[in-house]
Amino acid sequence: MLPISPTLPVSIPDLEEIVALRHHLHQNPELSGLENETSQTLQSFLQRYQPDEIVKELGGTGFAAIFQGKEPKAGPTVLFRAELDALPILEQNEFAYTSIQKGVSHKCGHDGHMATLVGLASILHQQPLTQGQVVLLYQPAEENGAGAWAVLQTPAFQKIAPDYVFALHNLPPLPMGQVLVRSDAFAAASVGLKVQLHGKESHAAEPENGLNPGEGMSELIQAFNALVRDQHHFQDLTLLNVVHARLGDVAFGTNPGFATVMATLRAFEQDDLNKLKSLAIEAVKLVAHKYDLKYDFEWVEEFPATRNSAEATAFVEQAAQDLGMDVIRAAKPVRWSEDFGHFTHRYNGAYFGLGSGPDRPQLHHADYDFPDELIPVGAALFYRIAESILNP
Ligand SMILES: [Zn+2]
Ligand SMILES: [Zn+2]
């Protein structure tokens, strides 16, 4: 049995099996939208806790396990979310449960978040709450920003209609078990931009018969970078990062006829992101016009800012304090984006950080792994939040 803090007023008798489940999920990761086995494994495992209902096919592979209180109609519905997906990263860890899917691995700790919700199910099974119901939502495709939106479009999910929504993310390098909260904006909004510039291909010996978009492409990259150099156009931190560029195909005999530039735009304030989006498209139009190129563009992987309600944030903060955990309030939102913002946009909710240790590799790094000792801590914190709302 793993150590569980004596201050946690709950026990998870099958914690060792839940840790083994986490290792199994880690060893068998699946990419965004393809989490069929992961979803099946969890649904089977959760049967032992006799959920009152399992709602399947939420936004694809997603599902919800519902645990009713003794008087389910008498109280609100409180939802906790975990993510099902792994990342297209080759794992650089050597342990008994190293990923067996080459080039795919759990580098964001979603395996740990899933196990944390299983831990919560274990506690709920032993200590059911008085009123209302608790929904454990396993959401697909968080990493590409598609999953939360897809779940929200599903009529079966709309019927669940949660009154409160919560999710946590493990955060290295914060101290193990430290809780990071923030009322209002917690995580930045972001969106990907894919621009195609179209010229005309020709033989490399006859460039005058073609139209090479190379000069336009390099000018566009510089123009993009210039957009965020001066921050005084924006209310708060606003970023644009060119993440990929390509000029034609690899062939010395060909004068290329197309170019691709991809960038990630990011802001704490939605107004800033909207402004940056229109400035970026202006820059594309100017460059295309100057070099006589045709263009098209596409917005991809759009994440709204994750905004927390003051009420839900207070529940998290109070629950953490009740458990004797260290709580800090973030002065600024975190820079990365998170599709849980779609839920907090629609429902009263809060997303918060749970420290996963100062010596841990950063999220999305090839040698990252979720710390098992955080599973009971996260589960107890979620349970305490549910208790404070549903055990009046
Ligand atoms: Zn991630
Ligand atoms: Zn993540």
Side-chain angles (χ1 to χ4, degrees):
M1 179 68 88
L2 287 164
I4 177 164
S5 162
T7 60
L8 298 179
V10 292
S11 72
I12 303 178
D14 56 347
L15 183 59
E16 254 172 88
E17 283 167 86
I18 296 172
V19 168
L21 171 71
R22 206 280 290 177
H23 294 179
H24 175 84
L25 296 170
H26 189 97
Q27 200 167 16
N28 299 276
E30 292 173 300
L31 289 174
S32 306
L34 303 172
E35 311 93 336
N36 293 298
E37 289 297 318
T38 304
S39 182
Q40 276 309 321
T41 301
L42 287 161
Q43 287 177 41
S44 312
F45 195 96
L46 285 166
Q47 289 304 331
R48 66 175 67 189
Y49 308 120
Q50 298 161 9
D52 293 284
E53 195 184 346
I54 289 206
V55 184
K56 295 181 189 179
E57 290 173 27
L58 297 179
T61 61
F63 74 94
I66 301 178
F67 291 84
Q68 293 181 344
K70 290 169 194 145
E71 294 172 72
K73 296 265 187 295
T77 296
V78 183
L79 178 146
F80 298 95
R81 184 211 67 170
E83 321 86 323
L84 293 163
D85 55 340
L87 284 156
I89 297 173
L90 179 67
E91 173 144 57
Q92 281 173 20
N93 286 323
E94 298 277 340
F95 39 52
Y97 55 93
T98 300
S99 167
I100 57 170
Q101 300 299 334
K102 203 166 161 41
V104 182
S105 54
H106 274 293
K107 293 298 155 200
C108 210
H110 295 176
D111 51 344
H113 301 166
M114 292 184 252
T116 300
L117 279 201
V118 174
L120 174 59
S122 179
I123 304 170
L124 284 167
H125 179 57
Q126 298 166 75
Q127 303 175 46
L129 296 171
T130 319
Q131 298 185 344
Q133 52 183 4
V134 176
V135 177
L136 312 186
L137 172 67
Y138 287 91
Q139 178 209 303
E142 189 283 322
E143 294 289 357
N144 63 10
W149 181 250
V151 168
L152 282 163
Q153 303 318 303
T154 313
F157 182 78
Q158 290 160 4
K159 254 174 65 190
I160 293 173
D163 297 286
Y164 296 95
V165 294
F166 295 94
L168 63 75
H169 209 293
N170 80 96
L171 281 188
L174 288 191
M176 189 70 81
Q178 187 177 66
V179 179
L180 181 76
V181 296
R182 191 168 201 276
S183 190
D184 204 29
F186 186 92
S190 75
V191 65
L193 171 60
K194 186 175 177 183
V195 180
Q196 301 267 10
L197 297 173
H198 306 281
K200 187 168 177 269
E201 235 170 47
S202 68
H203 196 289
E206 298 173 341
E208 69 277 16
N209 291 331
L211 180 58
N212 185 333
E215 225 177 325
M217 176 181 121
S218 58
E219 196 163 314
L220 183 60
I221 293 172
Q222 295 191 43
F224 274 175
N225 287 326
L227 292 178
V228 290
R229 201 163 290 138
D230 186 355
Q231 287 280 317
H232 82 253
H233 309 294
F234 304 109
Q235 300 166 45
D236 209 330
L237 182 71
T238 301
L239 303 167
L240 184 152
N241 186 15
V242 175
V243 293
H244 179 79
R246 174 182 174 190
L247 178 61
D249 290 312
V250 182
F252 285 104
T254 305
N255 183 37
F258 75 91
T260 307
V261 177
M262 286 160 68
T264 304
L265 290 66
R266 202 178 283 285
F268 292 152
E269 293 295 330
Q270 193 63 45
D271 286 350
D272 285 342
L273 188 67
N274 293 343
K275 185 169 184 186
L276 182 61
K277 282 170 81 170
S278 49
L279 288 172
I281 298 310
E282 275 309 305
V284 173
K285 284 181 184 164
L286 274 173
V287 164
H289 182 74
K290 181 173 172 186
Y291 292 97
D292 209 18
L293 301 164
K294 293 198 169 57
Y295 69 90
D296 54 65
F297 63 88
E298 190 188 349
W299 298 107
V300 291
E301 301 198 1
E302 185 138 24
F303 292 83
T306 299
R307 305 194 90 89
N308 293 337
S309 82
E311 186 196 13
T313 307
F315 278 127
V316 176
E317 203 168 349
Q318 185 59 49
Q321 280 164 2
D322 291 349
L323 298 182
M325 297 168 81
D326 184 20
V327 188
I328 52 166
R329 291 181 182 176
K332 281 274 176 194
V334 299
R335 284 189 179 197
W336 36 270
S337 301
E338 162 56 61
D339 77 352
F340 195 67
H342 286 298
F343 289 103
T344 55
H345 184 67
R346 184 104 30 126
Y347 303 109
N348 190 356
Y351 179 84
F352 59 96
L354 185 60
S356 45
D359 304 323
R360 191 154 307 277
Q362 288 296 302
L363 300 173
H364 292 209
H365 283 213
D367 54 347
Y368 168 87
D369 184 38
F370 185 89
D372 287 318
E373 56 269 42
L374 214 52
I375 295 171
V377 178
L381 181 54
F382 276 158
Y383 185 78
R384 182 67 205 133
I385 293 168
E387 226 183 357
S388 65
I389 300 171
L390 301 177
N391 277 1

